[in-house]
Amino acid sequence: MKNYLFILILCLSLPGHAQEYSAIKGFVKGAKLKEVTLYKTVDGSIQACATSRIGADGSFGFLLKPETGFYSIGGERLNFPVYLKGGEQVNIDLLETRAQLNGKNSKENKTLYSWVDYAANIRLKAVFFELTRSNYEDFFPEFETYVKGLEQLKSKLRSGNKAFDVILSDYVDYATDYYAIIFLHTPREKHPEKSMRPEYYSHIVSARKYTDDKVLQFPEGIKMLISYTSFAYNEDGKKYDVESYTDDCLSYLGNDRLKGEYVVNNSFRSFKSYDQYLNAMEKFGKYLVTPSLKMRAEAVGTKLYDTKAGGQAADFTYPDVDGKMVSLSDFKGKVVLVDVWATWCGPCRQQIPYLKKLEEEMHGTDVVFVGVSVDESKDKQKWLDFIKTEGLKGVQLLAGGWSKITKDYKITGIPRFMVFDKKGNIVSVDAPRPSSPELKKMLENELKK
């Protein structure tokens, strides 16, 4: 019995994208899979968005409303591209080392697989080295034959969808470079001298490549990006220097977003300390030009951050009541009391009279009172009204939910009071509440230092 599962939740489209269902179904024939996974391309990498059990007869299936673009299907290590825009059927079988279209399919996927089939052996030998015993003696001749027929093949890759045909042509070019490079970067029984390489290798590095972020539309986009910079670095014959390596690799990329993707996906993964993270953010933060890049970079910092007393404070930046962006680091030279709260929090409200009294008592001193509300951004007016009604003083910021500050400081409950010294270091990230005399004593002690 066929077992076509219908996945309707994890791959749903965003407003403005395709609203028709796409159906993907087929059979597993020889592939060693316990289940079939559908992956969505996000920022040049694949992310699992649905899985299908495999029926007794080998059948599997998905039904979804996709965002237009490339998806992949198969297992985590070995998977195959499909193109979805909504409204199409994809009939695809998964074999031991390749995929095969069968039955009704969209023109885009038929065109895509004209190339995927043509490149199947090259991709298998270059990328999935553990499945073959290939070395340069058999790969290079086959690769040269592949390249020789590529332009003729590309001239026939016409689906009738002009936007798709353009991106497919780019995909073919980027993938061909990737297959050539990754073959050299993967384990082999024999490795060639540079002089043994086909002529194609001498033309891979070019200032015309990686000048925009279209490569991030491809499932292997990040792998293509990182392997290209490594290859270009080696081709230039540079002697490895840990201090300059990242800068040198970034010089081969002509687009800030790509530079951001490189540092987040490559450099940031090697950090062992929060100081390394801070140094990298200071140097490369300008390349974090998308919300996704910023979020992924901050996640690295959050994982490395230690909230122990005496350590450097994790900075945060949020808008105040006038929309001005204010950071914790703006107050270096002052003792800072941070109150993490929300308008809907009963215990937070109970502390307000004590907090206002403490502010009055410490008026004229070098203590800055900062309120950070975790109310959602949609509740901004409610937050503003609450501040006015309660007569809250100090610096009031809106975090827009449980965002960076709660992740960095491991805050799972509010109110939370935190004290930072004049140098921007942690005194306590779980300080006494204003209702306790101990908080005032803590602030006064810091003022004396």
Side-chain angles (χ1 to χ4, degrees):
M1 178 180 178
K2 294 181 179 179
N3 181 33
Y4 298 140
L5 298 187
F6 302 120
I7 308 301
L8 301 174
I9 299 176
L10 297 180
C11 293
L12 291 180
S13 66
L14 297 175
H17 291 270
Q19 292 298 311
E20 294 185 76
Y21 285 101
S22 294
I24 306 172
K25 59 184 181 179
F27 293 86
V28 174
K29 300 178 179 179
K32 297 177 181 178
L33 295 172
K34 295 182 179 179
E35 60 185 13
V36 176
T37 303
L38 181 66
Y39 300 90
K40 177 181 175 181
T41 301
V42 180
D43 296 322
S45 296
I46 59 171
Q47 291 185 6
C49 62
T51 58
S52 171
R53 296 190 301 272
I54 300 172
D57 60 352
S59 62
F60 66 88
F62 300 92
L63 184 65
L64 67 150
K65 287 184 178 179
E67 293 182 46
T68 299
F70 289 100
Y71 287 69
S72 295
I73 188 168
E76 184 177 7
R77 171 65 174 142
L78 180 60
N79 47 74
F80 306 91
V82 293
Y83 184 81
L84 304 178
K85 56 183 174 59
E88 67 269 282
Q89 288 187 33
V90 180
N91 288 282
I92 185 168
D93 294 338
L94 302 179
L95 313 182
E96 185 175 2
T97 58
R98 64 183 63 196
Q100 177 179 291
L101 295 185
N102 279 314
K104 185 176 181 179
N105 281 283
S106 67
K107 291 181 179 179
E108 288 87 355
N109 281 301
K110 287 180 179 178
T111 305
L112 170 62
Y113 268 77
S114 292
W115 167 66
V116 170
D117 291 342
Y118 179 75
N121 268 1
I122 294 299
R123 179 186 187 234
L124 181 65
K125 290 183 175 182
V127 182
F128 305 101
F129 59 90
E130 73 277 18
L131 300 178
T132 67
R133 297 183 65 83
S134 177
N135 61 58
Y136 70 91
E137 292 174 333
D138 64 271
F139 180 78
F140 283 168
E142 190 168 356
F143 184 75
E144 288 183 299
T145 301
Y146 164 85
V147 170
K148 187 175 182 180
L150 195 56
E151 286 306 312
Q152 183 178 358
L153 175 71
K154 286 179 65 177
S155 69
K156 298 178 181 178
L157 297 179
R158 299 290 181 268
S159 69
N161 178 340
K162 291 183 179 180
F164 169 78
D165 292 344
V166 169
I167 193 174
L168 177 58
S169 179
D170 290 331
Y171 192 2
V172 171
D173 291 340
Y174 277 104
T176 300
D177 283 355
Y178 176 60
Y179 299 156
I181 294 169
I182 204 66
F183 180 84
L184 299 179
H185 292 176
T186 46
R188 308 287 165 182
E189 292 180 353
K190 297 180 180 180
H191 294 275
E193 299 293 333
K194 189 173 181 179
S195 61
M196 299 176 180
R197 300 176 188 171
E199 174 67 15
Y200 183 90
Y201 281 86
S202 63
H203 304 293
I204 290 178
V205 180
S206 169
R208 296 189 300 273
K209 297 178 180 179
Y210 292 91
T211 58
D212 56 40
D213 58 14
K214 60 190 171 188
V215 69
L216 301 178
Q217 299 177 66
F218 311 137
E220 311 93 336
I222 293 300
K223 294 177 180 179
M224 293 172 174
L225 171 71
I226 293 175
S227 64
Y228 174 82
T229 57
S230 176
F231 178 78
Y233 181 89
N234 290 331
E235 287 298 284
D236 277 350
K238 294 179 179 178
K239 186 177 180 180
Y240 178 75
D241 180 0
V242 67
E243 297 296 330
S244 63
Y245 180 75
T246 297
D247 287 316
D248 287 337
C249 286
L250 292 181
S251 71
Y252 302 112
L253 305 174
N255 175 276
D256 280 356
R257 184 183 174 192
L258 294 186
K259 291 179 180 181
E261 292 291 349
Y262 178 89
V263 295
V264 168
N265 284 280
N266 195 57
S267 305
F268 276 45
R269 291 186 174 184
S270 65
F271 294 161
K272 303 297 184 184
S273 71
Y274 190 67
D275 284 342
Q276 285 182 300
Y277 165 77
L278 290 177
N279 291 336
M281 287 295 286
E282 183 176 357
K283 187 173 184 180
F284 303 119
K286 61 186 175 182
Y287 299 131
L288 306 180
V289 295
T290 68
S292 173
L293 278 169
K294 292 176 182 177
M295 180 182 69
R296 284 178 280 147
E298 288 176 356
V300 173
T302 296
K303 186 175 181 180
L304 293 170
Y305 187 61
D306 187 347
T307 58
K308 66 182 179 182
Q312 185 171 357
D315 203 11
F316 55 78
T317 303
Y318 295 116
D320 67 7
V321 293
D322 297 317
K324 178 185 175 182
M325 301 305 289
V326 178
S327 302
L328 174 62
S329 57
D330 293 340
F331 304 110
K332 280 191 177 180
K334 306 281 188 180
V335 176
V336 182
L337 171 64
V338 175
D339 170 20
V340 184
W341 68 288
T343 60
W344 44 261
C345 169
C348 300
R349 292 177 181 235
Q350 291 172 4
Q351 290 298 313
I352 289 176
Y354 300 102
L355 180 62
K356 292 167 71 172
K357 183 174 183 292
L358 180 62
E359 287 183 87
E360 290 175 5
E361 292 173 347
M362 308 213 73
H363 181 72
T365 68
D366 280 340
V367 177
V368 177
F369 290 78
V370 180
V372 181
S373 170
V374 296
D375 282 278
E376 299 291 339
S377 297
K378 64 181 178 63
D379 295 323
K380 178 180 178 180
Q381 191 57 52
K382 180 181 177 182
W383 169 69
L384 290 171
D385 292 342
F386 188 92
I387 291 171
K388 184 177 181 180
T389 301
E390 295 293 330
L392 300 185
K393 306 298 182 182
V395 180
Q396 296 297 330
L397 307 179
L398 182 63
W402 294 76
S403 54
K404 186 177 187 298
I405 188 172
T406 59
K407 295 174 183 175
D408 284 346
Y409 292 103
K410 287 46 173 199
I411 298 172
T412 57
I414 54 176
R416 171 73 76 85
F417 293 89
M418 303 188 290
V419 177
F420 302 93
D421 68 19
K422 296 177 182 179
K423 296 180 181 179
N425 295 325
I426 296 171
V427 176
S428 174
V429 295
D430 194 7
R433 295 183 177 186
S435 56
S436 168
E438 296 303 316
L439 178 57
K440 184 178 181 181
K441 291 180 182 178
M442 182 181 288
L443 295 174
E444 288 175 335
N445 287 337
E446 289 305 316
L447 286 173
K448 295 174 184 178
K449 296 179 181 179

